[in-house]
């Protein structure tokens, strides 16, 4: 029986709590981020006036979902109870569900990889998968300690930018028969690489204290948060000036809007910001870029 002294929950508060549960699930299970990977891939197809094939979109979505969720359930990460943010607590409490989601996503991506005949790109896709898995798996012994790729000084943001640019630019180029070393593909790759790199610095800022406690040397830890923001903004500006041949003026103009939004997110980034600032806004600007390209096309 309810204690009369306790307030009765209103329908509005109940609805808000239910909405928050769904939003947390979408953001912290990497569904939102996986959708962004599909969006950026689709944006590349749209540049060449084509739509992303649905099965390829599903393969990229599920592969991204697998890689990010398998990363989030690694045992050593859950033993590092250094900073228990709301996001980290959610992942700890849903570790089993995230593991099952990762396995299901891997199964779907594997089946599509095989059925759609991507075996000829096994080496190319395999090296991206290897970088993604070794990014967090401590498989190299350095100085008496087991290290993952992300633990090497200043490396992790470049790995993230490379893999994202390769998936969202080179895979569409492969699919459409575009030479990877052609000027237009190289410019698209450079533009995407710098854009992702600029946003990757935001997450280094978020993890500033945690990385210092675990001994991971990142740009904020080595050069300071303010200098990192300057480097990120320089990368963002350079990405905006890499204009591929054939891009219409209105296309370039519309794409400056997500660039400005990304710049604001970078400038106001701070590790004290709530988790939604990074999971919803910083990741969400990737989807904003896709929407801008879609509308311009």
């Amino acid at each position: 029986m309810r204690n009369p002294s306790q307030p009765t929950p209103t329908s509005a508060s109940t609805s808000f709590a239910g909405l928050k549960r769904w939003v947390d699930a979408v953001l912290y299970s990497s569904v939102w981020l996986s959708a962004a990977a599909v969006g950026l891939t689709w944006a590349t197809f749209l540049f060449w006036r084509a739509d992303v094939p649905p099965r390829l979109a599903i393969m990229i979505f599920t592969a991204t979902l697998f890689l990010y969720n398998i990363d989030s359930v690694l045992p050593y990460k859950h033993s590092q109870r250094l900073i228990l943010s709301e996001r980290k607590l959610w992942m700890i409490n849903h570790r089993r569900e995230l593991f099952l989601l990762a396995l299901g996503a891997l199964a779907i991506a594997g089946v599509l990889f095989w059925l759609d005949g991507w075996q000829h790109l096994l080496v190319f896709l395999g090296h991206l998968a290897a970088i993604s898995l070794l990014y967090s798996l401590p498989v190299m012994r350095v100085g008496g300690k087991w290290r993952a790729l992300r633990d090497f000084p200043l490396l992790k943001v470049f790995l993230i930018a490379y893999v994202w640019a390769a998936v969202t630019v080179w895979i569409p180029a492969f699919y459409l028969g575009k030479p990877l070393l052609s000027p237009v593909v190289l410019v698209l790759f450079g533009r995407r690489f710098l854009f992702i790199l600029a946003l990757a610095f935001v997450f280094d800022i978020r993890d500033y204290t945690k990385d210092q406690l675990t001994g991971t040397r990142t740009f904020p830890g080595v050069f300071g948060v303010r200098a990192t923001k300057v480097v990120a903004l320089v990368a963002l500006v350079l990405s905006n000036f890499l204009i591929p041949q054939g891009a219409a003026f209105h296309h370039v103009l519309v794409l400056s809007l997500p660039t400005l939004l990304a710049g604001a997110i970078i400038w106001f980034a701070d590790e004290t910001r709530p988790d939604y600032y990074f999971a919803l806004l910083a990741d969400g600007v990737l989807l904003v870029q896709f929407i801008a390209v879609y509308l311009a096309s």
Side-chain angles (χ1 to χ4, degrees):
M1 184 174 181
R2 185 179 65 85
N3 187 336
S5 63
Q6 293 178 334
T8 303
T10 64
S11 58
S13 63
T14 303
S15 299
F16 177 79
L19 176 62
K20 188 178 185 306
R21 282 195 295 272
W22 279 103
V23 172
D24 287 350
V26 169
L27 295 180
Y28 302 150
S29 67
S30 297
V31 169
W32 180 248
L33 191 61
S34 301
V38 174
L40 289 181
T41 305
W42 193 348
T44 305
F45 274 96
L46 287 174
F47 174 79
W48 283 307
R49 295 176 175 81
D51 282 325
V52 60
R55 284 162 65 134
L56 176 59
I58 295 171
M59 188 178 77
I60 290 175
F61 179 88
T62 51
T64 307
L65 200 62
F66 162 71
L67 289 169
Y68 275 88
N69 279 307
I70 206 67
D71 172 84
S72 68
V73 300
L74 291 174
Y76 84 94
K77 284 195 166 187
H78 290 274
S79 65
Q80 294 176 336
R81 304 204 171 206
L82 302 172
I83 300 176
L84 292 181
S85 64
E86 181 180 319
R87 177 181 65 93
K88 184 74 171 178
L89 284 171
W90 190 94
M91 290 178 173
I92 291 173
N93 292 332
H94 297 84
R95 187 177 175 187
R96 180 175 177 273
E97 291 87 346
L98 291 176
F99 181 68
L100 293 175
L101 180 62
L103 291 183
L106 176 63
I108 294 171
V111 168
L112 290 175
F113 172 84
W114 183 262
L115 292 179
D116 290 354
W118 288 92
Q119 293 90 331
H120 64 292
L121 294 178
L122 184 61
V123 174
F124 169 75
L125 296 175
H127 98 278
L128 296 178
I131 292 172
S132 301
L133 290 171
L134 296 177
Y135 174 82
S136 292
L137 287 174
V139 294
M140 289 172 283
R141 194 173 180 84
V142 179
K145 292 185 178 180
W146 288 97
R147 298 286 187 180
L149 287 179
R150 60 167 288 142
D151 295 322
F152 285 81
L154 311 180
L155 184 60
K156 67 177 189 174
V157 287
F158 296 102
L159 294 175
I160 292 169
Y162 172 73
V163 171
W164 272 76
V167 169
T168 62
V169 174
W170 280 345
I171 288 181
F174 272 124
Y175 190 91
L176 297 172
K178 308 289 183 181
L180 296 193
L181 297 180
S182 64
V184 65
V185 174
L186 290 176
V187 170
L188 283 172
F189 180 88
R191 182 184 180 97
R192 187 65 49 76
F193 177 89
L194 290 170
F195 187 81
I196 298 295
L197 179 66
L199 289 172
F201 284 118
V202 171
F203 294 92
D204 270 359
I205 293 171
R206 179 196 67 184
D207 297 335
Y208 175 72
T209 299
K210 186 198 78 163
D211 286 335
Q212 284 196 315
L213 292 172
T214 57
T216 302
R217 300 183 67 192
T218 61
F219 274 83
V222 175
F223 302 108
V225 171
R226 189 175 184 85
T228 300
K229 290 181 180 182
V230 172
V231 173
L233 291 173
V234 169
L236 192 64
V237 170
L238 290 176
S239 75
N240 207 48
F241 280 104
L242 283 178
I243 302 173
Q245 185 178 7
F249 174 75
H250 73 280
H251 194 157
V252 176
L253 186 63
V254 170
L255 278 179
S256 65
L257 298 177
T259 301
L260 291 172
L261 177 60
I265 291 171
I266 291 167
W267 186 251
F268 292 106
D270 187 271
E271 66 173 335
T272 61
R273 298 282 183 193
D275 287 314
Y276 279 12
Y277 184 89
F278 302 97
L280 183 62
L281 296 182
D283 286 340
V285 76
L286 302 176
L287 280 171
V288 171
Q289 189 179 61
F290 156 68
I291 294 170
V293 172
Y294 186 85
L295 293 176
S297 301

